[in-house]
């Protein structure tokens, strides 16, 4: 009984494996070198966010002295020491050490019968900020910052006083500086939390997850699982599956080799398995666009003469249809297959070619139906964020579906038909693939210095990263609209007679 249960479990095991364990059709690796570039751009973004910190007004009373500190503005930041690194398994750690923040704020003082108003310059030194961002796959398969922890501290704070009541200011400096230090440190983390969970996530929303490629097919770039991190790399596994737009919920099972990225020298690596390209050709095949029809004047003249000579007897027997236009219909009989080897990438195509006469006002008369097999070489390259493929004819043969004798008679057609494909059909196909398909990177980030390397069953593209747009520019473009109208800021309060705790 136990043996039978074990056997049943083994038989059911493949069906019990979660879908998340499916091999990816596309994989992206970001290395420590790429993260360094992201840090530089991210640091500028953090500086801009910290400059917009809003600090609450500070009120107080010491004996006969009433004071009010308001309109606190950050005037300068010095973030000299910073570090951004991977932390297994799903975290990015961002540290800022020994930074300084310069402030300017408005003072209002009432001392006995003396009233004074002006501004004070202050500086926070020894600022330390430690943030940990957790990356995860959300419910639609998009990479998101799912959580953030933050700690901020200020080691020292100084305020510069001047004016007729300088001695009074110096007496108050302990209260004012201590209060400002507390209020400022309390505002750093909320500002960075909003920047991460709201603004940076709006940037990640620009990564394509499931979108249309053209009028016929779309692509699914949803993440299969949460990102995997080592100390030096961040790996993202995408489904990488194309689908016909008429059947968007269709799933194509992945039996291809899983891409394996071992390199870390470049900023980023993108790997594509044979499944990635096979699903594209399967989607086009099911969309019915792997077919072309040439009729009348569209048939090359030399080929028409040769075809009429080849089928002279048949055409003569069909008189008076001898002068009827020819029609050629070329259509894939099965989805093409992609083969990736270390020596190169190729595509195997099986098709049929129907040759007919089309007499005006009469039904078409089929002269022949040929089976065709072709092997195309594929040059895969990356430009910007678009993956493109250029195809070229390598091998080609035709044979009759009716008899071996007719296959022998068609031998003379192989060379001209191959020329027809190269001069007429291949440009049409390459025009369709010219636009390419976008790689799942955020808007404003592009690839440069791309190098394609073939492996057994997959290929990799190693590249460096380039910011064509700054983070701020993209975030402002996609900044989420406020959920409620902003309330106007209240005017600065007059010095209060009642002390308020710092």
């Amino acid at each position: 009984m136990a043996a039978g249960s074990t056997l049943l479990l083994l038989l059911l095991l493949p069906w019990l494996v979660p879908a998340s364990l499916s091999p990816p059709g596309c994989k992206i690796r970001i290395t420590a070198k790429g993260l360094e570039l992201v840090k530089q751009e991210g640091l500028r973004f953090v500086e801009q966010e910290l400059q917009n910190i809003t600090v609450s007004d500070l009120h107080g009373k010491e004996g006969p002295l009433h004071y009010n500190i308001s309109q606190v503005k950050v005037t300068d930041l010095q973030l000299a020491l910073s570090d951004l690194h991977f932390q297994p398994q799903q975290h990015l750690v961002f540290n800022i050490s020994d930074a300084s923040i310069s402030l300017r704020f408005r003072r209002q003082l009432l001392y006995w019968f003396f009233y004074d108003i002006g501004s004070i310059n202050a500086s926070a030194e020894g600022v330390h900020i430690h943030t940990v961002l957790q990356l995860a796959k959300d419910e639609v398969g998009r990479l998101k910052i799912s959580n953030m922890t933050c700690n901020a501290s200020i080691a020292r704070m100084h305020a510069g006083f001047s004016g007729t009541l300088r001695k009074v200011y110096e007496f108050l400096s302990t209260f004012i500086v201590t209060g400002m230090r507390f209020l400022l440190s309390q505002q750093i983390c909320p500002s960075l939390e909003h920047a991460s969970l709201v603004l940076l996530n709006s940037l990640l929303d620009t990564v394509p997850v499931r979108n249309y490629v053209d009028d016929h097919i779309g692509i699914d770039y949803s993440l299969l699982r949460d990102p995997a991190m080592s100390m030096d790399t961040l790996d993202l596994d995408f489904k990488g599956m194309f689908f016909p737009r008429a059947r968007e919920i269709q799933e194509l099972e992945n039996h291809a080799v899983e891409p394996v990225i071992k390199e870390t020298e470049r900023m980023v690596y993108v790997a594509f398995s044979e499944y990635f390209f096979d699903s594209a050709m399967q989607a086009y095949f099911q969309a019915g666009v792997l077919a072309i029809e040439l009729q009348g004047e569209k048939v090359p003249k030399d080929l028409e003469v040769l075809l009429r000579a080849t089928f002279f007897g048949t055409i003569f027997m069909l008189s008076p249809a001898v002068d009827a236009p020819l029609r050629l219909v070329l259509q894939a009989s099965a989805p093409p297959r992609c083969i990736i080897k270390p020596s190169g990438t190729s595509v195997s195509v099986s098709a049929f070619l129907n040759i007919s006469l089309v007499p005006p006002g009469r039904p078409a008369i089929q002269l022949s139906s040929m089976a065709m097999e072709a092997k195309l070489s594929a040059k895969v390259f990356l430009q910007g964020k678009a993956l493109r493929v250029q195809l070229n004819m390598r091998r080609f043969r035709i044979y009759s579906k009716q008899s071996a004798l007719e296959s022998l008679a068609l031998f003379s057609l192989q060379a001209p038909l191959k020329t027809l494909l190269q001069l007429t059909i291949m440009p049409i196909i390459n025009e369709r693939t010219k636009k390419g398909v976008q790689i799942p990177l955020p808007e404003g980030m592009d690839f440069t210095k791309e190098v394609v390397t073939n492996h057994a069953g997959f290929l990799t593209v190693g590249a460096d990263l380039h910011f064509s747009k700054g983070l701020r520019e993209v975030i402002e473009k996609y900044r989420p609209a406020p959920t409620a109208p902003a309330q106007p800021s209240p005017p600065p309060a007059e010095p209060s007679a009642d002390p308020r705790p710092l």
Side-chain angles (χ1 to χ4, degrees):
M1 185 71 177
S5 300
T6 303
L7 178 61
L8 180 61
L9 180 61
L10 291 175
L11 292 174
L12 292 176
L13 188 59
W15 302 97
L16 298 176
V17 177
S20 61
L21 297 182
S22 301
C26 173
K27 175 177 284 190
I28 292 182
R29 164 170 288 183
I30 299 175
T31 67
K33 290 183 178 180
L35 194 63
E36 180 63 27
L37 178 68
V38 174
K39 186 196 82 170
Q40 296 172 12
E41 184 64 28
L43 196 60
R44 285 192 286 269
F45 174 67
V46 169
E47 288 178 347
Q48 294 167 347
E49 286 301 303
L50 293 180
Q51 284 177 344
N52 295 324
I53 283 179
T54 301
V55 180
S56 303
D57 294 352
L58 181 64
H59 309 266
K61 175 184 177 184
E62 289 297 326
L65 180 67
H66 301 262
Y67 60 88
N68 181 30
I69 302 300
S70 61
Q71 299 180 12
V72 181
K73 299 291 184 183
V74 176
T75 59
D76 186 47
L77 290 101
Q78 296 295 328
L79 308 180
L81 301 177
S82 62
D83 173 62
L84 178 64
H85 63 268
F86 299 118
Q87 177 179 292
Q89 294 293 323
Q90 297 170 231
H91 298 90
L92 283 176
V93 179
F94 183 50
N95 289 317
I96 296 176
S97 303
D98 203 24
S100 63
I101 304 176
S102 298
L103 305 170
R104 184 178 182 86
F105 47 88
R106 185 171 181 263
R107 69 175 188 262
Q108 292 174 289
L109 300 175
L110 179 63
Y111 185 69
W112 294 107
F113 301 105
F114 297 96
Y115 179 71
D116 182 57
I117 187 171
S119 60
I120 299 176
N121 294 321
S123 63
E125 299 177 357
V127 179
H128 295 269
I129 305 172
H130 176 78
T131 58
V132 179
L133 305 177
Q134 182 176 0
L135 302 181
K137 174 181 75 74
D138 70 5
E139 62 277 2
V140 299
R142 178 177 276 114
L143 180 67
K144 282 299 182 83
I145 301 172
S146 60
N147 192 24
M148 173 187 173
T149 59
C150 175
N151 292 296
S153 64
I154 299 174
R156 302 169 302 278
M157 191 157 188
H158 305 282
F161 300 98
S162 61
T164 57
L165 299 178
R166 179 178 179 182
K167 294 297 183 181
V168 176
Y169 300 156
E170 291 176 350
F171 169 74
L172 283 172
S173 64
T174 302
F175 304 101
I176 296 176
V177 168
T178 301
M180 288 304 302
R181 176 182 169 187
F182 174 78
L183 292 175
L184 180 60
S185 63
Q186 289 295 104
Q187 293 300 315
I188 291 176
C189 284
S191 176
L192 295 182
E193 182 176 348
H194 177 265
S196 301
L197 298 180
V198 178
L199 300 184
L200 288 182
N201 273 337
S202 70
L203 174 70
L204 293 175
D205 283 339
T206 66
V207 177
V209 172
R210 190 176 178 90
N211 62 324
Y212 295 142
V213 176
D214 53 29
D215 293 336
H216 309 288
I217 68 171
I219 186 167
D220 188 334
Y221 270 133
S222 58
L223 283 170
L224 294 174
R225 54 193 65 93
D226 288 334
M229 290 192 193
S230 69
M231 296 301 295
D232 302 311
T233 60
L234 163 64
D235 288 341
L236 301 167
D237 290 346
F238 298 92
K239 180 180 287 187
M241 184 197 76
F242 292 83
F243 56 86
R245 291 182 58 169
R247 285 177 273 184
E248 295 194 15
I249 62 173
Q250 174 179 285
E251 290 284 336
L252 179 64
E253 194 170 351
N254 187 353
H255 299 290
V257 174
E258 179 173 352
V260 178
I261 305 175
K262 298 180 179 180
E263 299 86 355
T264 58
E265 291 78 16
R266 306 295 294 274
M267 291 184 181
V268 64
Y269 291 88
V270 189
F272 305 94
S273 75
E274 292 175 344
Y275 172 81
F276 180 86
F277 301 100
D278 283 346
S279 67
M281 292 181 286
Q282 171 92 12
Y284 274 125
F285 179 79
Q286 293 186 348
V289 296
L290 297 185
I292 189 169
E293 180 178 315
L294 301 177
Q295 181 173 322
E297 296 180 354
K298 293 184 178 180
V299 179
K301 198 65 180 177
D302 293 342
L303 179 63
E304 181 181 1
V305 172
L306 183 60
L307 289 174
R308 288 185 180 275
T310 301
F311 299 103
F312 175 77
T314 304
I315 296 174
F316 184 79
M317 294 297 294
L318 297 172
S319 182
V322 176
D323 294 329
L326 280 175
R327 179 171 66 189
L328 309 182
V329 177
L330 178 63
Q331 183 171 344
S333 56
R337 290 295 308 277
C338 175
I339 303 169
I340 303 177
K341 297 180 179 179
S343 57
T345 302
S346 61
V347 177
S348 297
V349 182
S350 297
F352 61 82
L353 175 64
N354 288 335
I355 303 176
S356 306
L357 285 175
V358 190
R362 295 176 56 187
I365 304 170
Q366 182 170 302
L367 299 178
S368 180
S369 179
M370 311 177 196
M372 304 176 56
E373 293 179 356
K375 198 163 195 177
L376 314 177
S377 62
K379 179 183 177 183
V380 181
F381 59 99
L382 203 59
Q383 189 170 8
K385 273 189 298 194
L387 181 73
R388 300 179 179 179
V389 179
Q390 186 173 10
L391 299 171
N392 188 36
M393 181 72 67
R394 280 176 55 190
R395 293 204 303 260
F396 171 81
R397 79 181 187 97
I398 59 172
Y399 56 92
S400 172
K401 298 171 66 175
Q402 279 78 29
S403 67
L405 183 62
E406 188 176 11
S407 295
L408 183 62
L410 294 175
F411 184 77
S412 60
L413 289 177
Q414 286 211 149
L417 282 177
K418 183 177 181 180
T419 302
L420 168 70
L421 291 174
Q422 288 177 325
L423 299 180
T424 308
I425 309 301
M426 296 309 299
I428 296 175
I429 296 175
N430 284 324
E431 185 64 27
R432 290 179 178 176
T433 63
K434 183 178 180 181
K435 180 181 177 182
V437 59
Q438 184 179 352
I439 304 304
L441 279 185
E443 183 176 336
M445 187 180 292
D446 294 320
F447 296 107
T448 62
K449 303 177 183 177
E450 307 89 347
V451 176
V452 179
T453 305
N454 278 47
H455 305 272
F458 66 96
L459 60 84
T460 59
V461 182
D464 289 337
L465 291 172
H466 166 70
F467 280 95
S468 57
K469 297 179 182 178
L471 289 179
R472 173 64 56 182
E473 180 182 354
V474 178
I475 287 172
E476 288 298 328
K477 179 179 178 181
Y478 295 98
R479 179 186 288 271
T483 56
Q487 298 295 327
S489 301
E494 292 297 326
S496 172
D498 301 320
R500 299 184 184 181
L502 300 180

